[in-house]
C-alpha cells in the first residue's frame, strides 16, 4: 500500500493507458480471426487469410484510398492556414484579435452534427454539388482549429532573442524564418499535422452530411458494412493504421531525444 500511495500517479497513468489501448488490441486480435458467419464479433479460428488479401472486400480499398487522399489534402490545407493564423495571433496586434482567438475554439467546442448541418446548408444555398471537394472543405474547416491551437502553443514558447540574434548576424527575413523560426516551430506544426490527419481520416458525421451519394470514405464504408456484416479486412486496416501511428510517434520521440542529446553534448 505504501508503494501504491507513492506511485499513485504512475499507476493511474498506466491503467488509463491500458484502458485506451485495449480496444485497439481487440481489433488487432480479431484481424487474425476466421469467422463462420458474416459478423466478426466472436473468436472462431486463427487465420492469416485477411492479411493475405486485405482488399478482398469489394470497394473497401477504394474507400480507404479516398480517405487517405482527403486526409492528406486536408492536412496540407489546415497546416498551411493554421500555421499562418497562429503566427498572426501571437506575433501581431490588430483589431478583433481577441474575438478571433475565441472563435478559433468554436469548431472544437461545437457538436459535430451542428457543424455538419451548417456546412451542408451553406453548400446547398451556394448551389455546390456535394462530393469530394465539399468534404475536403469541411475537413479543413474543422481541422483548422486543432492546428492553430498546437502551433500557437509552440510559437508562444519561442524565445524571440533567437530571431533577434539571427538578424544581428545579417540574416534576412526569409533566412531567419527558414533557419531559425521554422525549425523551432516544427514540433508544433508536426503535432498539428498528425492531429489533423487523424481527425480527417477518422471523421464520419461531418463527412456523412457533406459527401453526397457517390463519395464513400472508409469510416462510411465501415458503418455501412456493420449493417450487413463486418469483414475481417476492416480489422486488418485498423490494425495497420494503429501500428503505423505508433511507429510515427516512436520515430518522432527518438529523433527528439537524439537532438536533445546532441544539444547537451
Amino acid at each position: 500500500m505504501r508503494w501504491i500511495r507513492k506511485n499513485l500517479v504512475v499507476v493511474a497513468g498506466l491503467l488509463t493507458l491500458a484502458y485506451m489501448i485495449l480496444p485497439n488490441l481487440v481489433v488487432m486480435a480479431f484481424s487474425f480471426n476466421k469467422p463462420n458467419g458474416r459478423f466478426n464479433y466472436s473468436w472462431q479460428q486463427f487465420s492469416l487469410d485477411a492479411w493475405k488479401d486485405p482488399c478482398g472486400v469489394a470497394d473497401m480499398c477504394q474507400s480507404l484510398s479516398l480517405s487517405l487522399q482527403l486526409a492528406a489534402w486536408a492536412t496540407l490545407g489546415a497546416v498551411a492556414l493554421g500555421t499562418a493564423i497562429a503566427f498572426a495571433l501571437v506575433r501581431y496586434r490588430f483589431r478583433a484579435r481577441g474575438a478571433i482567438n475565441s472563435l478559433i475554439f468554436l469548431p472544437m467546442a461545437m457538436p459535430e452534427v451542428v457543424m455538419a448541418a451548417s456546412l451542408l446548408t451553406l453548400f446547398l444555398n451556394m448551389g455546390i454539388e456535394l462530393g469530394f471537394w465539399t468534404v475536403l472543405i469541411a475537413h479543413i474547416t474543422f481541422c483548422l482549429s486543432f492546428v492553430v491551437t498546437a502551433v500557437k502553443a509552440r510559437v508562444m514558447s519561442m524565445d524571440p532573442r533567437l530571431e533577434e540574434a539571427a538578424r544581428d548576424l545579417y540574416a534576412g527575413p526569409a533566412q531567419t524564418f527558414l533557419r531559425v523560426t521554422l525549425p523551432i516551430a516544427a514540433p508544433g506544426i508536426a503535432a498539428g499535422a498528425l492531429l489533423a490527419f487523424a481527425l480527417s481520416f477518422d471523421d464520419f458525421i461531418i463527412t456523412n452530411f457533406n459527401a453526397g451519394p457517390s463519395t464513400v470514405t472508409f469510416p462510411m464504408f465501415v458503418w455501412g458494412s456493420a449493417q450487413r456484416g463486418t469483414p475481417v479486412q476492416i480489422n486488418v486496416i485498423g490494425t495497420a493504421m494503429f501500428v503505423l501511428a505508433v511507429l510515427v510517434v516512436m520515430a518522432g520521440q527518438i529523433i527528439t531525444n537524439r537532438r536533445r542529446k546532441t544539444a547537451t553534448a
Side-chain angles (χ1 to χ4, degrees), residues 189-219:
I189 297 174
L194 291 174
L195 188 58
F197 186 91
L199 289 169
S200 176
F201 181 85
D202 187 55
D203 181 75
F204 172 77
I205 297 176
I206 295 177
T207 305
N208 192 40
F209 270 72
N210 298 278
S214 60
T215 305
V216 180
T217 61
F218 185 68

Side-chain angles (χ1 to χ4, degrees), residues 39-247:
F39 295 96
N40 186 28
Y41 296 151
S42 59
W43 182 263
Q44 301 293 332
Q45 181 182 354
F46 179 84
S47 175
L48 294 173
D49 294 343
W51 283 92
K52 293 177 181 178
D53 188 17
C55 294
V57 181
D59 299 329
M60 190 185 73
C61 282
Q62 182 179 353
S63 64
L64 175 63
S65 175
L66 179 60
S67 286
L68 292 174
Q69 292 178 46
L70 281 169
W73 285 111
T75 300
L76 289 175
V79 167
L81 294 174
T83 301
I85 294 173
F87 272 95
L89 291 174
V90 174
R91 296 293 179 86
Y92 299 97
R93 299 292 182 269
F94 50 89
R95 290 183 178 180
R97 178 172 173 268
I100 293 175
N101 264 316
S102 301
L103 289 174
I104 285 296
F105 292 95
L106 191 59
M108 301 172 63
M110 182 186 300
E112 281 196 44
V113 67
V114 176
M115 187 174 184
S118 302
L119 287 168
L120 176 61
T121 304
L122 174 66
F123 294 139
L124 292 179
N125 287 333
M126 294 179 65
I128 301 176
E129 183 180 356
L130 299 181
F132 178 88
W133 294 108
T134 54
V135 175
L136 179 59
I137 293 171
H139 282 202
I140 293 175
T141 301
F142 78 82
C143 288
L144 190 59
S145 298
F146 296 91
V147 176
V148 172
T149 303
V151 179
K152 184 182 172 184
R154 182 65 178 179
V155 175
M156 290 178 66
S157 66
M158 292 172 56
D159 189 352
R161 292 175 296 181
L162 296 175
E163 295 171 297
E164 294 173 2
R167 288 192 291 268
D168 289 340
L169 295 173
Y170 304 102
Q175 286 181 310
T176 302
F177 180 78
L178 293 175
R179 297 192 176 186
V180 178
T181 307
L182 189 60
I184 297 176
I189 297 174
L194 291 174
L195 188 58
F197 186 91
L199 289 169
S200 176
F201 181 85
D202 187 55
D203 181 75
F204 172 77
I205 297 176
I206 295 177
T207 305
N208 192 40
F209 270 72
N210 298 278
S214 60
T215 305
V216 180
T217 61
F218 185 68
M220 294 174 65
F221 177 85
V222 173
W223 178 81
S225 298
Q227 311 302 311
R228 56 186 182 273
T230 51
V232 185
Q233 283 81 356
I234 291 177
N235 296 68
V236 173
I237 299 299
T239 301
M241 295 299 296
F242 172 72
V243 172
L244 181 62
V246 171
L247 291 177

Side-chain angles (χ1 to χ4, degrees), residues 21-51:
I21 293 180
L22 182 60
N24 297 285
L25 297 179
V26 173
V27 170
M28 186 180 300
F30 276 82
S31 68
F32 298 98
N33 187 30
K34 187 175 182 179
N36 295 328
R38 295 179 301 168
F39 295 96
N40 186 28
Y41 296 151
S42 59
W43 182 263
Q44 301 293 332
Q45 181 182 354
F46 179 84
S47 175
L48 294 173
D49 294 343
W51 283 92

